[in-house]
Amino acid sequence: MLEVQNLSYSTKTFSMENVSFSLDDGYLMTLLGRNGAGKTTLFDLVYGRIEPLSGKVLWNDIDVTGMKAIDILYHDEVAYVGGRSWCIGGIRADENIRLLSCLYSRWDQKHFDEMLEMMEFTKEEYTTKFEELSTGKQMQLQLAFALARHPKLLLLDEPAAGMNPQETQELTDFIHKIRDEYDLSILMIEHHMDLVMRISDRIYVLDFGKLIAQGTPAEVQNDPRVIE
């Protein structure tokens, strides 16, 4: 279980105050909020990229607040996917695969191959440079890299960004499938509301660094503060 307890963080232009939530094993939780609400900052706090002014991040009752990825076992169990977090531009997909499979001790090549087969990744796409793949295929490759390490918690930062409707539908189905089949806990930032409402177990809404609403998709959708 992931627990966030009264996290606060501040810069010259932004402040977050006493944000708390918990994510149970096997659940998918989405963070919603307009630009500047603090979603990515909260992700960075959970992942240990930045350290809060106060509060704690607990992973299975172990305090991992502000710890760096290379320092703790926590990051063997947590995978982050966002932007180009898992792939290197300028080289082919198969070259990315060979490089990254050598860097991670928990790499499972069989599981990786199963993920790409599930996504219908073609032989032609294997030999295509990463930046020449479609947005949907780029995300598929990054998800396969992340899942090849058998994480227990998956952080997804706007996975549907830039996708067309068909790609978004395929991504929605895939996320739903891996969550159920592999008992993953997923924390997601996403602006595509159809995706969010279809697969989220719970939604937390941030506004200017404060948690203003939480609940099921239906509850959040009808919350007066969210509507406003």
Side-chain angles (χ1 to χ4, degrees):
M1 173 187 283
L2 175 70
E3 293 182 78
V4 169
Q5 298 180 350
N6 300 312
L7 282 185
S8 295
Y9 181 78
S10 181
T11 66
K12 292 181 179 179
T13 58
F14 173 80
S15 64
M16 177 180 290
E17 299 178 15
N18 298 319
V19 172
S20 298
F21 66 82
S22 62
L23 174 59
D24 292 333
D25 296 339
Y27 276 69
L28 192 154
M29 190 181 93
T30 300
L31 298 175
L32 288 181
R34 54 184 148 187
N35 291 335
K39 304 182 299 298
T40 299
T41 297
L42 187 53
F43 251 41
D44 288 343
L45 289 165
V46 168
Y47 198 58
R49 286 196 177 102
I50 56 177
E51 190 169 354
L53 291 176
S54 60
K56 292 181 179 181
V57 178
L58 302 177
W59 174 243
N60 293 329
D61 297 323
I62 298 171
D63 189 346
V64 295
T65 311
M67 301 180 80
K68 303 304 180 185
I70 61 173
D71 294 334
I72 50 174
L73 179 62
Y74 170 58
H75 285 87
D76 283 336
E77 300 185 346
V78 179
Y80 172 90
V81 177
R84 292 187 173 187
S85 54
W86 283 88
C87 293
I88 301 168
I91 63 175
R92 303 183 322 191
D94 57 349
E95 293 169 329
N96 265 286
I97 294 165
R98 286 196 296 271
L99 176 61
L100 290 177
S101 64
C102 294
L103 294 177
Y104 295 100
S105 59
R106 291 184 55 164
W107 182 269
D108 184 337
Q109 185 65 44
K110 181 180 178 181
H111 191 54
F112 176 82
D113 293 339
E114 289 172 352
M115 293 298 99
L116 287 187
E117 183 177 353
M118 189 186 302
M119 300 172 189
E120 300 182 354
F121 210 82
T122 68
K123 291 183 178 180
E124 181 181 356
E125 288 162 346
Y126 265 103
T127 56
T128 301
K129 289 183 179 180
F130 176 75
E131 61 269 29
E132 294 174 0
L133 293 169
S134 70
T135 302
K137 290 298 180 180
Q138 288 180 8
M139 181 52 63
Q140 286 181 359
L141 189 59
Q142 292 189 88
L143 282 168
F145 277 126
L147 295 169
R149 295 169 51 229
H150 292 283
K152 295 179 180 178
L153 172 62
L154 182 61
L155 304 179
L156 296 178
D157 192 351
E158 298 189 37
M163 290 189 183
N164 62 41
Q166 180 180 346
E167 291 173 331
T168 301
Q169 179 61 53
E170 291 171 354
L171 176 68
T172 303
D173 294 341
F174 180 73
I175 293 173
H176 198 277
K177 187 172 184 177
I178 60 172
R179 191 273 303 272
D180 291 344
E181 286 195 11
Y182 301 106
D183 198 29
L184 271 173
S185 299
I186 301 175
L187 180 61
M188 180 173 70
I189 296 172
E190 184 52 67
H191 294 288
H192 195 290
M193 295 307 297
D194 184 54
L195 186 159
V196 169
M197 294 299 167
R198 283 187 57 198
I199 64 175
S200 300
D201 295 307
R202 291 190 67 79
I203 297 173
Y204 284 70
V205 184
L206 290 170
D207 194 35
F208 295 110
K210 295 182 179 180
L211 189 63
I212 64 167
Q214 59 179 291
T216 65
E219 289 169 342
V220 168
Q221 198 169 28
N222 293 304
D223 189 292
R225 292 167 296 180
V226 176
I227 293 171
E228 181 183 356

